Amino acid sequence: MGKIALAIHGGCGVMAKLGLTEAEWEAARVDLAHALRAGWAVLSSNGSALDAVEAAVVVMEDSPHFNAGYGAALNAAGDHELEASIMNGTTLEAGGITLARRIRNPIKAARRVMEKGEAVMMGGPAADDFARVEGLDIVENAYFTTEKRVKALAAMKAHAEEGTEAVASESEKHGTVGAVALDAAGHLAAATSTGGYNNKPVGRIGDTPIVGAGTYARDGVCAVSGTGKGEFFIRYAVGHEVASRIGYLNETVEQAASRVIHYDLKPHGIGAGLVAVGADGSIAAPYNTDGMFRGWVTSEGQFFVATHDQVFAL
């Protein structure tokens, strides 16, 4: 069995350290651990990287602690418009869902889009209809709503009225979940899911469903899943840029990922982060915000989760 590795993120827009109780922090860490174990169970039983990243993201979509699926951000109209994508590093096949309103687990629908092969991205009511026909769980839009997101929407609307959006906390703005994996056969995969940012315009599409921006995987190089202000991830083709620096400049995963987050995006003053895994099993998780929900399993099978600068071994 070859080397295997897994990394996940639950968004770089985490709450300030004093913004949640210790019990709430612990609950979020527990769900990060559940997501890691779900993905690792696949990899350690000789399963595919594609199955592993999907399994990890589904757990986070079902958790209220992250901005994806249940607990997703609300747009300006107070509704949820969900996005997700998944990419197979072996074939470069990918599938994306955007502007979905009723798909319980958007990452599952993205996987079905990829497997059907008739499109790379589907959006809006057609995406919801596609998921229904495929037999995926369909829910009312209100299913995704949590009190935390209602409060965040109100906070962002207040910031908008006062012209203070720039000083809003990262947790008030956005968040995303994602996973990257290397399987025993040497294949890489990435998956990302989000509700976008709080108070986003109705119909806004971010980087999450766009291959090469928020999600990218290529065997022999790396797999990347990003979180942050999606408009800039699109403009900089962040996922592809990290892979290009590794492939063309022979940089390490850590060098390439850190360069993009801490240098390329720095002039824009945006919150940004990502997780990446290389073909050699190396892992990077740079971010430029107060914190980023994240976790990883080394190729030796050591589990870690983190929120801010504190890392917890499991």
Side-chain angles (χ1 to χ4, degrees):
M1 194 166 120
K3 185 177 288 189
I4 57 177
L6 173 71
I8 63 173
H9 70 78
C12 65
V14 305
M15 297 290 285
K17 289 185 180 180
L18 299 179
L20 294 177
T21 67
E22 183 54 41
E24 289 171 318
W25 281 122
E26 177 59 24
R29 290 196 293 266
V30 166
D31 283 352
L32 281 174
H34 286 332
L36 277 177
R37 291 190 177 105
W40 193 253
V42 174
L43 294 175
S44 60
S45 59
N46 209 32
S48 72
L50 203 60
D51 288 342
V53 295
E54 180 183 4
V57 167
V58 164
V59 171
M60 292 185 283
E61 287 180 336
D62 287 342
S63 168
H65 302 298
F66 311 111
N67 178 15
Y70 178 49
L74 291 155
N75 67 16
D79 298 319
H80 302 277
E81 292 182 309
L82 309 176
E83 303 180 322
S85 67
I86 192 166
M87 188 168 186
N88 183 343
T90 305
T91 61
L92 302 187
E93 291 175 306
I97 290 290
T98 188
L99 304 179
R101 289 172 174 253
R102 301 194 61 193
I103 306 171
R104 175 173 175 167
N105 293 109
I107 197 63
K108 291 185 178 181
R111 175 82 180 262
R112 296 293 179 87
V113 170
M114 181 189 72
E115 290 173 341
K116 284 286 186 179
E118 298 173 346
V120 171
M121 189 190 307
M122 296 187 69
D128 290 328
D129 290 343
F130 170 81
R132 183 183 297 106
V133 170
E134 288 295 304
L136 299 181
D137 288 344
I138 300 298
V139 295
E140 295 299 323
N141 196 252
Y143 158 82
F144 304 107
T145 308
T146 62
E147 183 180 357
K148 182 170 74 172
R149 296 305 177 195
V150 172
K151 290 180 178 178
L153 176 62
M156 285 307 297
K157 285 187 176 294
H159 281 300
E161 276 191 26
E162 297 165 9
T164 57
E165 293 100 328
V167 299
S169 70
E170 292 299 327
S171 62
E172 289 174 329
K173 295 176 185 176
H174 53 72
T176 306
V177 308
V180 292
L182 170 70
D183 64 31
H187 301 314
L188 291 160
T192 314
S193 182
T194 189
Y197 65 85
N198 295 301
N199 203 35
K200 66 181 180 179
V202 175
R204 176 261 188 184
I205 298 172
D207 65 302
T208 292
I210 298 177
V211 173
T215 305
Y216 193 70
R218 190 160 83 233
D219 277 10
V221 184
C222 68
V224 181
S225 175
T227 172
K229 188 63 183 296
E231 283 68 18
F232 292 92
F233 276 64
I234 295 169
R235 287 162 59 176
Y236 280 83
V238 165
H240 190 270
E241 181 69 9
V242 172
S244 295
R245 297 191 69 87
I246 295 169
Y248 303 145
L249 299 178
N250 203 32
E251 291 185 346
T252 65
V253 171
E254 181 64 41
Q255 288 171 333
S258 294
R259 164 78 186 201
V260 173
I261 296 299
H262 295 302
Y263 182 83
D264 291 355
L265 296 178
K266 185 176 181 179
H268 304 288
I270 62 161
L274 62 81
V275 291
V277 62
D280 61 353
S282 58
I283 290 169
Y287 60 94
N288 63 11
T289 58
D290 181 53
M292 182 170 76
F293 285 124
R294 61 202 187 278
W296 61 96
V297 189
T298 68
S299 55
E300 292 75 35
Q302 297 172 296
F303 284 68
F304 299 93
V305 297
T307 51
H308 297 87
D309 54 2
Q310 191 172 5
V311 177
F312 301 85
L314 301 179

